[in-house]
Amino acid sequence: MIPGSFAYHRPASVDEAVALLGQFGEDGKVLAGGHSLIPMMKLRLATPEHLIDINGIGELKGIREEGGQLRIGAAATQADILASDLLANTCPLLPEAAALIADPQIRYCGTLGGNVANGDPGNDMPAVMMALAAIYALRGPGGAREVAARDFYHGTFDTALAENELLTEIRIPTPAPGHGASYQKMKRKVGDYATAAAAAVLSFDGDRCASAAVTLTNVGEAAIFVTEAGDALVGTAVDDTAVAEAAARAMALAAPVSDLRGPAEYRTQMAGEMARRAIRTAAARAKGG
Amino acid sequence: MAEKTKISLTVNGNAVEAEIEPRTLLIHFLREHLNLTGAHIGCETSHCGACTVDLDGRSVKSCTVFAVQANGGELLTVEGMAAGGELHPLQQAFVDQHGLQCGYCTPGMLVRAYRLLQETPNPTDDEIRWGLSGNLCRCTGYQNIVKAVRQAADELGQKEAAE
Amino acid sequence: MSDIKEMSLEEREATLGGIGSARKRKEDARFIRGQGNYVDDIKLPGMVFGDFVRSAYAHAKIKSIDTEAALAVPGVMAVITAKDLEPLGLHWMPTLAGDVAAVLADKKVHFQNQEVAFVVGADRYAVSDGVQAVDVDYDELPVLVDPRKALDADAPILREDVQEKDNVGQGLRRHPNHIFHWEVGDKTATDAAFAAAAVTIKEEIGYPRNHPSPMETCGCVASMDATNGVLTVYGTFQAPHVIRTVVSLITGLSENNIRIVSPDVGGGFGNKVGAYPGYICAAAASIVTGLPVKWIESRMDNLSTTAFARDYHMTGELAADESGKITAIRANVLADHGAFNTHAQPMKWPAGFFNIVTGSYDVPVGHVEVDGVYTNKAPGGVAYRCSFRVTEAAYLIERLIDALAQKIGVDKAEIRFRNFIQPEQFPYDSCLGWEYDSGDYPTALKKALEAVDYEGLRREQKEKAAKGELMGIGIATFTEIVGAGPTRNCDIVGLGMFDSCEIRVHPTGSAIVRLGTKSQGQGHETTFAQIVATEIGLPSDAITVEEGDTDTAPYGLGTYGSRSTPVAGAACAIAARKIRAKAQKIAAHLLEVGEGDLEWEVDRFRVKGLPERAATMKDICMAAYSNLPEGMEPGLETTSYYDPPNFTYPFGAYVCVVDIDRFTGEIKVRRFYALDDCGTRINPMVIEGQVHGGLAEAFAIAMGQEIVFDELGNVMGASFLDYFIPTTVETPVWETDHTVTPSPHHPIGAKGVGESPNVGGVPAFTNAVVDAFAQHGVMHMPMPHTAWRVWQTIDELGLNK
């Protein structure tokens, strides 16, 4: 398993990276953490002529809070997310999900930007970002633009990111104190993609659910934002009936393929089960549990 | 064939310079170019961790990193663990606790455990298991590896306390 | 004469580090420093690399192979196809089972990823580019995946090369896709016992295709020295001497001109017993290029081409009286051997040791039938951490006895006590032809049940069941058969299954010991030295153990099937005793007494009645080269070849406790207790390590390992993403225990242990999983027990509502 030949570029700035992307078009690929791309290259399923390594770009790193948003550089790694006190305090859903991705070695390399931008439905962070109403900052030859995570995913390896664009930053509205969130991932073992996974982010007004977002991982061509599941929870006490209804709505949107993780029907059921668990856990956390 | 790239880095404290094809994987650079054959190739898809080395304070799977990405970096492999010929407490603990059998996963385990203890000096058994979950072993059933890391952690803790 | 005299007897014994000592492993020193020497670490001057172009299809005719573009790739030196090997007679190779297997696909491919061409080049990167550039044109053929359809009248015929033969090496066959039919036992008496039985049960019990997947894949470096006509092959060989003989038979090279070296081997588990096309192609390429050629398998190649295991489709039946006492056993097996019958096993019979299927139980009569068939899958198989087909047999009987208990409503421990062969029945002749050497099964199970508080667990299970929770308790009381083996039962290419040990004692009291076996992690450098230490009274630290180089080691049959301790370990003890016998003569000379006046004590001969008059072994070593009795040859060396009189029969009692998530089907192993009896224990630390490792492999097999094919014969999930190798996180914590029932026929009473935990572990896991559903009438659940499969049972029973 040896990759094909390529030319290696290590731009020092986003501008330089974007220029290279523009120059090489479909012959160029961004190298971030590399743990999706390099295995594909070793199988010769990806044969880019130019690799643009963005790990040397300082402005793509860092995790900070600014203007009511958590701003995470696209090249911040899962390990960076796990080590961030800011995220632990303001948005514990992120480290919770990061810890369920791959294994320790890969988390040192794997970036948040790579995870959300490459369009693999098996990646965990897209669903998390949708649940948190994150916004992706993109930069291309024509300048910068923002796309909401909920509008970003069109299908498997098909996203709003243009060939000549680079994801530079993930911007998450800082969740209100008192919110509750959970990511529940069922997998065969450490390092696996989800058989099914679900994220839930809830807030309460008294004992009534004020807002709710429920999303699913790896049970469709892309991460799924289940608007109807959130609707089923808002205004309720998130009791068993509401949770069951939300989970049923999540299952209705799940359309997994049968694979070695299980037949489609099972994976659909697990999407429902993970949604149930995520909602219950998020609710308990919101209530200080 | 793409043009070769010049890289320079530090490996186990020694400065190294080389000209390589950009597609050269770090594991092949170490094993073929530098003759450091301690790290092994087990799965080639970043699942087994036999190729684990320490790059700039991070455990990485060198089968899924290009050598050019280590340019300017500082690398530690199992060959660099015994400082001045004296075994690292982890190495001794793996012997004491029978934490290895065929030895093939051992270099990766040791280097990964080294970083784990740097970050979590006094881990619980659970933390050891999670911390080593990127390294597969087929021989030991892991139990004695966990014991070995525990022994090394205790010893390093005592050393620190004494200093 | 030496300072050792000042020590107490116990101190002297401890100094030896002999049998029973938990001495640290000698081999670890290099492994912990990254200084192991595995095959991929070997670099020879001028060495080049080779790798395969592999078939994309499971069954297809090869229309053409275009190598032009590949040969134009910079660095590519040669592309070898079957046509190139044909003049050398190397395009097909004979298999150990009497069949032939393609080295490179000749006119057609029989399984996906089959070797089609071998690209040789200056480095791995050039070779990889060359492999990409070879263009093979195929005509697809109908594919046979399901072994149950192999013998249908309209099944596609796979092996056109042997289509006309009524025998492909293992007896008459009845269909072009049929390999063999084998049966053992008394059919008439068995049928009669079933007809008369108060209770009968019948279960379809499959053992899926899986793979040993050691951390190191297979590989070799072949180097043909054209000047001297000597071929040297370094490789991942569990049985280097057998490889030498096979290479000689295949190539026609004289055996003295072949040197096989197994360097450090990164785990074997059966994967590295066989001879694979990679070895032949590397050797052929070395002959063609005149350069050393390295071939190292990728993990995907490993999982999809070399050495699958199991793939046994069994129907098992028990007949019993009202109390659950078994009166007969019947088994009918369909064995999927893939594209070529390349099974690597030592038995004279095609189903190996499957007739150990009566297990630990006193079964009066039985009958077993096994049929082997070809399919469009990788050829094999091998014994994955077991003796060939023992794992399947143990799984079948341990599942059946549980089903019988459920059927008649008897506790699963109790049914075993009712059926155990009793200690006083040993040596015990089983109805299917084995002579069990020794055992004490009731004591082992009693100890196990007490250790886990079995009754308490059963109470807890009832309480949980009342709340709708799923908890299962699995018991396995297995009996193994290892130590292949007596020449009357076993051979490989006609060679007897003895093993060997050569000991050379040096003047200053150290020794080198060489054996015909080859450690792949078992710790032979440590444990065999312990046997010799105890037998000849020199410290194990002063004894070097060497294996794996056919130029220096005595001929042996290698390491697999837990045979090293039963066979080579015995050779070790016997050789050491020959040394000691000569030493006694020298001691008599030194002490000026008669030989018969001497007695052995730890590390010396002393004069009976005069304990202060003694000659230590160290003194004797020097005397062997300097001061000998008249007429005695100098030196202190010997070689022993040991053909065991019988197999050894290790056994154990395992208890596994699982909790099952009724909403996801996920299984949590709460507890696993393993009591093993492997006879005399040479190194308790090493034994415990073997048991841990075997249990972890059993866990992987029971819970997730399966090589899956789609209907086109495509291998699904042949990487460590999908093929289940559990990490630290999934792997349970193990509790180990033991009893000691020595083997009466082994020189030191040892039985072997490496495979026991795998053989006993798998049924313990399945029995626990099924037990969780026993109250709902479930008798069997297919392996592997992946969450989705378990969930399907839960869902069918409505337990997740």
mmCIF file of all heavy atoms in Angstrom, chain C residues 23-49:
data_model
loop_
_atom_site.group_PDB
_atom_site.id
_atom_site.type_symbol
_atom_site.label_atom_id
_atom_site.label_comp_id
_atom_site.label_asym_id
_atom_site.label_seq_id
_atom_site.Cartn_x
_atom_site.Cartn_y
_atom_site.Cartn_z
ATOM 1 N N ARG C 23 10.623 -17.130 35.639
ATOM 2 C CA ARG C 23 11.756 -16.290 35.249
ATOM 3 C C ARG C 23 11.357 -15.341 34.133
ATOM 4 O O ARG C 23 10.511 -15.643 33.307
ATOM 5 C CB ARG C 23 12.954 -17.176 34.868
ATOM 6 C CG ARG C 23 13.093 -17.600 33.432
ATOM 7 C CD ARG C 23 14.268 -18.564 33.261
ATOM 8 N NE ARG C 23 15.502 -17.885 32.910
ATOM 9 C CZ ARG C 23 16.110 -18.010 31.714
ATOM 10 N NH1 ARG C 23 15.575 -18.757 30.761
ATOM 11 N NH2 ARG C 23 17.222 -17.380 31.471
ATOM 12 N N LYS C 24 11.971 -14.171 34.154
ATOM 13 C CA LYS C 24 11.700 -13.171 33.124
ATOM 14 C C LYS C 24 12.234 -13.671 31.788
ATOM 15 O O LYS C 24 13.181 -14.457 31.720
ATOM 16 C CB LYS C 24 12.371 -11.846 33.483
ATOM 17 C CG LYS C 24 11.973 -11.309 34.851
ATOM 18 C CD LYS C 24 10.518 -10.908 34.908
ATOM 19 C CE LYS C 24 10.111 -10.514 36.321
ATOM 20 N NZ LYS C 24 8.960 -11.308 36.806
ATOM 21 N N ARG C 25 11.650 -13.139 30.730
ATOM 22 C CA ARG C 25 11.979 -13.699 29.423
ATOM 23 C C ARG C 25 13.291 -13.152 28.865
ATOM 24 O O ARG C 25 13.542 -11.953 28.877
ATOM 25 C CB ARG C 25 10.864 -13.421 28.426
ATOM 26 C CG ARG C 25 9.549 -14.076 28.801
ATOM 27 C CD ARG C 25 8.647 -14.226 27.610
ATOM 28 N NE ARG C 25 8.824 -13.163 26.640
ATOM 29 C CZ ARG C 25 8.373 -13.231 25.398
ATOM 30 N NH1 ARG C 25 7.732 -14.307 24.993
ATOM 31 N NH2 ARG C 25 8.560 -12.229 24.573
ATOM 32 N N LYS C 26 14.051 -14.084 28.347
ATOM 33 C CA LYS C 26 15.339 -13.751 27.772
ATOM 34 C C LYS C 26 15.187 -12.918 26.495
ATOM 35 O O LYS C 26 15.953 -12.004 26.230
ATOM 36 C CB LYS C 26 16.045 -15.077 27.441
ATOM 37 C CG LYS C 26 17.460 -14.908 27.020
ATOM 38 C CD LYS C 26 18.352 -15.883 27.774
ATOM 39 C CE LYS C 26 19.795 -15.641 27.397
ATOM 40 N NZ LYS C 26 20.649 -16.760 27.718
ATOM 41 N N GLU C 27 14.157 -13.228 25.696
ATOM 42 C CA GLU C 27 14.018 -12.566 24.400
ATOM 43 C C GLU C 27 13.603 -11.104 24.521
ATOM 44 O O GLU C 27 13.771 -10.326 23.583
ATOM 45 C CB GLU C 27 13.056 -13.325 23.472
ATOM 46 C CG GLU C 27 11.814 -13.955 24.092
ATOM 47 C CD GLU C 27 12.061 -15.325 24.728
ATOM 48 O OE1 GLU C 27 12.464 -15.334 25.908
ATOM 49 O OE2 GLU C 27 11.827 -16.368 24.088
ATOM 50 N N ASP C 28 13.077 -10.728 25.695
ATOM 51 C CA ASP C 28 12.544 -9.372 25.828
ATOM 52 C C ASP C 28 13.596 -8.290 25.649
ATOM 53 O O ASP C 28 13.289 -7.187 25.194
ATOM 54 C CB ASP C 28 11.890 -9.206 27.212
ATOM 55 C CG ASP C 28 10.608 -10.018 27.333
ATOM 56 O OD1 ASP C 28 10.220 -10.658 26.328
ATOM 57 O OD2 ASP C 28 10.014 -10.016 28.420
ATOM 58 N N ALA C 29 14.834 -8.618 26.024
ATOM 59 C CA ALA C 29 15.886 -7.593 25.997
ATOM 60 C C ALA C 29 15.951 -6.902 24.639
ATOM 61 O O ALA C 29 16.085 -5.674 24.565
ATOM 62 C CB ALA C 29 17.236 -8.225 26.338
ATOM 63 N N ARG C 30 15.844 -7.670 23.561
ATOM 64 C CA ARG C 30 15.935 -7.022 22.248
ATOM 65 C C ARG C 30 14.616 -6.377 21.832
ATOM 66 O O ARG C 30 14.610 -5.326 21.202
ATOM 67 C CB ARG C 30 16.429 -8.012 21.184
ATOM 68 C CG ARG C 30 15.592 -9.247 20.963
ATOM 69 C CD ARG C 30 16.255 -10.168 19.924
ATOM 70 N NE ARG C 30 15.421 -11.313 19.585
ATOM 71 C CZ ARG C 30 15.378 -12.454 20.267
ATOM 72 N NH1 ARG C 30 16.125 -12.613 21.342
ATOM 73 N NH2 ARG C 30 14.594 -13.444 19.872
ATOM 74 N N PHE C 31 13.508 -7.007 22.192
ATOM 75 C CA PHE C 31 12.221 -6.477 21.739
ATOM 76 C C PHE C 31 11.904 -5.109 22.352
ATOM 77 O O PHE C 31 11.355 -4.237 21.688
ATOM 78 C CB PHE C 31 11.086 -7.459 22.055
ATOM 79 C CG PHE C 31 11.181 -8.766 21.306
ATOM 80 C CD1 PHE C 31 10.766 -9.948 21.899
ATOM 81 C CD2 PHE C 31 11.680 -8.819 20.010
ATOM 82 C CE1 PHE C 31 10.841 -11.159 21.218
ATOM 83 C CE2 PHE C 31 11.767 -10.014 19.314
ATOM 84 C CZ PHE C 31 11.348 -11.189 19.922
ATOM 85 N N ILE C 32 12.227 -4.927 23.622
ATOM 86 C CA ILE C 32 11.888 -3.641 24.255
ATOM 87 C C ILE C 32 12.791 -2.510 23.768
ATOM 88 O O ILE C 32 12.479 -1.347 23.973
ATOM 89 C CB ILE C 32 11.966 -3.709 25.799
ATOM 90 C CG1 ILE C 32 13.338 -4.209 26.226
ATOM 91 C CG2 ILE C 32 10.835 -4.542 26.375
ATOM 92 C CD1 ILE C 32 13.658 -3.918 27.670
ATOM 93 N N ARG C 33 13.874 -2.854 23.123
ATOM 94 C CA ARG C 33 14.769 -1.816 22.590
ATOM 95 C C ARG C 33 14.538 -1.577 21.096
ATOM 96 O O ARG C 33 15.265 -0.820 20.467
ATOM 97 C CB ARG C 33 16.229 -2.228 22.810
ATOM 98 C CG ARG C 33 16.665 -2.182 24.269
ATOM 99 C CD ARG C 33 18.065 -2.778 24.426
ATOM 100 N NE ARG C 33 18.608 -2.579 25.766
ATOM 101 C CZ ARG C 33 18.379 -3.396 26.795
ATOM 102 N NH1 ARG C 33 17.604 -4.458 26.646
ATOM 103 N NH2 ARG C 33 18.920 -3.152 27.978
ATOM 104 N N GLY C 34 13.556 -2.269 20.538
ATOM 105 C CA GLY C 34 13.355 -2.147 19.095
ATOM 106 C C GLY C 34 14.450 -2.835 18.304
ATOM 107 O O GLY C 34 14.718 -2.487 17.160
ATOM 108 N N GLN C 35 15.100 -3.828 18.929
ATOM 109 C CA GLN C 35 16.202 -4.520 18.269
ATOM 110 C C GLN C 35 15.833 -5.934 17.844
ATOM 111 O O GLN C 35 16.706 -6.745 17.566
ATOM 112 C CB GLN C 35 17.422 -4.582 19.203
ATOM 113 C CG GLN C 35 17.928 -3.241 19.676
ATOM 114 C CD GLN C 35 18.452 -2.373 18.546
ATOM 115 O OE1 GLN C 35 18.857 -2.882 17.513
ATOM 116 N NE2 GLN C 35 18.407 -1.062 18.717
ATOM 117 N N GLY C 36 14.542 -6.215 17.807
ATOM 118 C CA GLY C 36 14.124 -7.502 17.254
ATOM 119 C C GLY C 36 14.566 -7.581 15.804
ATOM 120 O O GLY C 36 14.866 -6.563 15.173
ATOM 121 N N ASN C 37 14.622 -8.792 15.295
ATOM 122 C CA ASN C 37 15.050 -8.962 13.907
ATOM 123 C C ASN C 37 13.983 -9.746 13.156
ATOM 124 O O ASN C 37 14.067 -10.951 13.007
ATOM 125 C CB ASN C 37 16.401 -9.691 13.867
ATOM 126 C CG ASN C 37 16.942 -9.790 12.460
ATOM 127 O OD1 ASN C 37 16.791 -8.867 11.663
ATOM 128 N ND2 ASN C 37 17.549 -10.916 12.131
ATOM 129 N N TYR C 38 12.947 -9.031 12.719
ATOM 130 C CA TYR C 38 11.851 -9.646 11.974
ATOM 131 C C TYR C 38 12.212 -9.626 10.493
ATOM 132 O O TYR C 38 13.137 -8.936 10.072
ATOM 133 C CB TYR C 38 10.550 -8.886 12.239
ATOM 134 C CG TYR C 38 10.190 -8.830 13.693
ATOM 135 C CD1 TYR C 38 10.632 -7.781 14.510
ATOM 136 C CD2 TYR C 38 9.423 -9.831 14.290
ATOM 137 C CE1 TYR C 38 10.321 -7.733 15.855
ATOM 138 C CE2 TYR C 38 9.104 -9.792 15.640
ATOM 139 C CZ TYR C 38 9.561 -8.737 16.420
ATOM 140 O OH TYR C 38 9.251 -8.703 17.753
ATOM 141 N N VAL C 39 11.445 -10.364 9.713
ATOM 142 C CA VAL C 39 11.866 -10.551 8.319
ATOM 143 C C VAL C 39 11.949 -9.226 7.557
ATOM 144 O O VAL C 39 12.856 -9.018 6.745
ATOM 145 C CB VAL C 39 10.973 -11.587 7.599
ATOM 146 C CG1 VAL C 39 9.563 -11.071 7.371
ATOM 147 C CG2 VAL C 39 11.607 -11.988 6.282
ATOM 148 N N ASP C 40 11.038 -8.305 7.848
ATOM 149 C CA ASP C 40 11.089 -7.038 7.103
ATOM 150 C C ASP C 40 12.250 -6.157 7.572
ATOM 151 O O ASP C 40 12.531 -5.115 6.986
ATOM 152 C CB ASP C 40 9.748 -6.294 7.235
ATOM 153 C CG ASP C 40 9.568 -5.246 6.141
ATOM 154 O OD1 ASP C 40 10.342 -5.254 5.160
ATOM 155 O OD2 ASP C 40 8.658 -4.406 6.263
ATOM 156 N N ASP C 41 12.916 -6.568 8.650
ATOM 157 C CA ASP C 41 14.090 -5.814 9.109
ATOM 158 C C ASP C 41 15.354 -6.269 8.371
ATOM 159 O O ASP C 41 16.402 -5.640 8.486
ATOM 160 C CB ASP C 41 14.311 -6.032 10.623
ATOM 161 C CG ASP C 41 13.112 -5.598 11.448
ATOM 162 O OD1 ASP C 41 12.299 -4.793 10.945
ATOM 163 O OD2 ASP C 41 12.980 -6.068 12.591
ATOM 164 N N ILE C 42 15.227 -7.368 7.655
ATOM 165 C CA ILE C 42 16.414 -7.942 7.000
ATOM 166 C C ILE C 42 16.709 -7.211 5.703
ATOM 167 O O ILE C 42 15.812 -7.014 4.870
ATOM 168 C CB ILE C 42 16.200 -9.448 6.747
ATOM 169 C CG1 ILE C 42 16.214 -10.182 8.092
ATOM 170 C CG2 ILE C 42 17.268 -10.016 5.802
ATOM 171 C CD1 ILE C 42 15.768 -11.612 8.028
ATOM 172 N N LYS C 43 17.939 -6.790 5.561
ATOM 173 C CA LYS C 43 18.360 -6.124 4.329
ATOM 174 C C LYS C 43 19.607 -6.816 3.826
ATOM 175 O O LYS C 43 20.600 -6.891 4.531
ATOM 176 C CB LYS C 43 18.699 -4.660 4.614
ATOM 177 C CG LYS C 43 17.479 -3.812 4.788
ATOM 178 C CD LYS C 43 17.840 -2.401 5.139
ATOM 179 C CE LYS C 43 16.586 -1.698 5.620
ATOM 180 N NZ LYS C 43 16.875 -0.475 6.332
ATOM 181 N N LEU C 44 19.561 -7.316 2.610
ATOM 182 C CA LEU C 44 20.737 -7.940 2.030
ATOM 183 C C LEU C 44 21.281 -7.021 0.936
ATOM 184 O O LEU C 44 20.513 -6.281 0.314
ATOM 185 C CB LEU C 44 20.374 -9.308 1.454
ATOM 186 C CG LEU C 44 19.802 -10.331 2.448
ATOM 187 C CD1 LEU C 44 19.496 -11.646 1.744
ATOM 188 C CD2 LEU C 44 20.760 -10.563 3.614
ATOM 189 N N PRO C 45 22.576 -7.064 0.710
ATOM 190 C CA PRO C 45 23.149 -6.206 -0.331
ATOM 191 C C PRO C 45 22.476 -6.461 -1.679
ATOM 192 O O PRO C 45 22.281 -7.620 -2.068
ATOM 193 C CB PRO C 45 24.625 -6.639 -0.369
ATOM 194 C CG PRO C 45 24.886 -7.276 0.952
ATOM 195 C CD PRO C 45 23.588 -7.871 1.398
ATOM 196 N N GLY C 46 22.077 -5.387 -2.326
ATOM 197 C CA GLY C 46 21.470 -5.505 -3.654
ATOM 198 C C GLY C 46 20.027 -5.954 -3.642
ATOM 199 O O GLY C 46 19.430 -6.218 -4.688
ATOM 200 N N MET C 47 19.441 -6.035 -2.467
ATOM 201 C CA MET C 47 18.079 -6.579 -2.350
ATOM 202 C C MET C 47 17.053 -5.749 -3.118
ATOM 203 O O MET C 47 17.074 -4.528 -3.071
ATOM 204 C CB MET C 47 17.695 -6.642 -0.872
ATOM 205 C CG MET C 47 16.389 -7.337 -0.574
ATOM 206 S SD MET C 47 16.104 -7.421 1.216
ATOM 207 C CE MET C 47 15.585 -5.748 1.548
ATOM 208 N N VAL C 48 16.149 -6.447 -3.814
ATOM 209 C CA VAL C 48 15.053 -5.792 -4.503
ATOM 210 C C VAL C 48 13.737 -6.315 -3.924
ATOM 211 O O VAL C 48 13.744 -7.169 -3.037
ATOM 212 C CB VAL C 48 15.124 -6.027 -6.031
ATOM 213 C CG1 VAL C 48 16.401 -5.420 -6.596
ATOM 214 C CG2 VAL C 48 15.040 -7.518 -6.359
ATOM 215 N N PHE C 49 12.640 -5.776 -4.435
ATOM 216 C CA PHE C 49 11.332 -6.073 -3.839
ATOM 217 C C PHE C 49 10.386 -6.680 -4.864
ATOM 218 O O PHE C 49 10.542 -6.455 -6.072
ATOM 219 C CB PHE C 49 10.707 -4.789 -3.282
ATOM 220 C CG PHE C 49 11.454 -4.232 -2.114
ATOM 221 C CD1 PHE C 49 12.624 -3.503 -2.296
ATOM 222 C CD2 PHE C 49 11.010 -4.469 -0.823
ATOM 223 C CE1 PHE C 49 13.327 -3.003 -1.209
ATOM 224 C CE2 PHE C 49 11.714 -3.967 0.266
ATOM 225 C CZ PHE C 49 12.876 -3.239 0.070
#
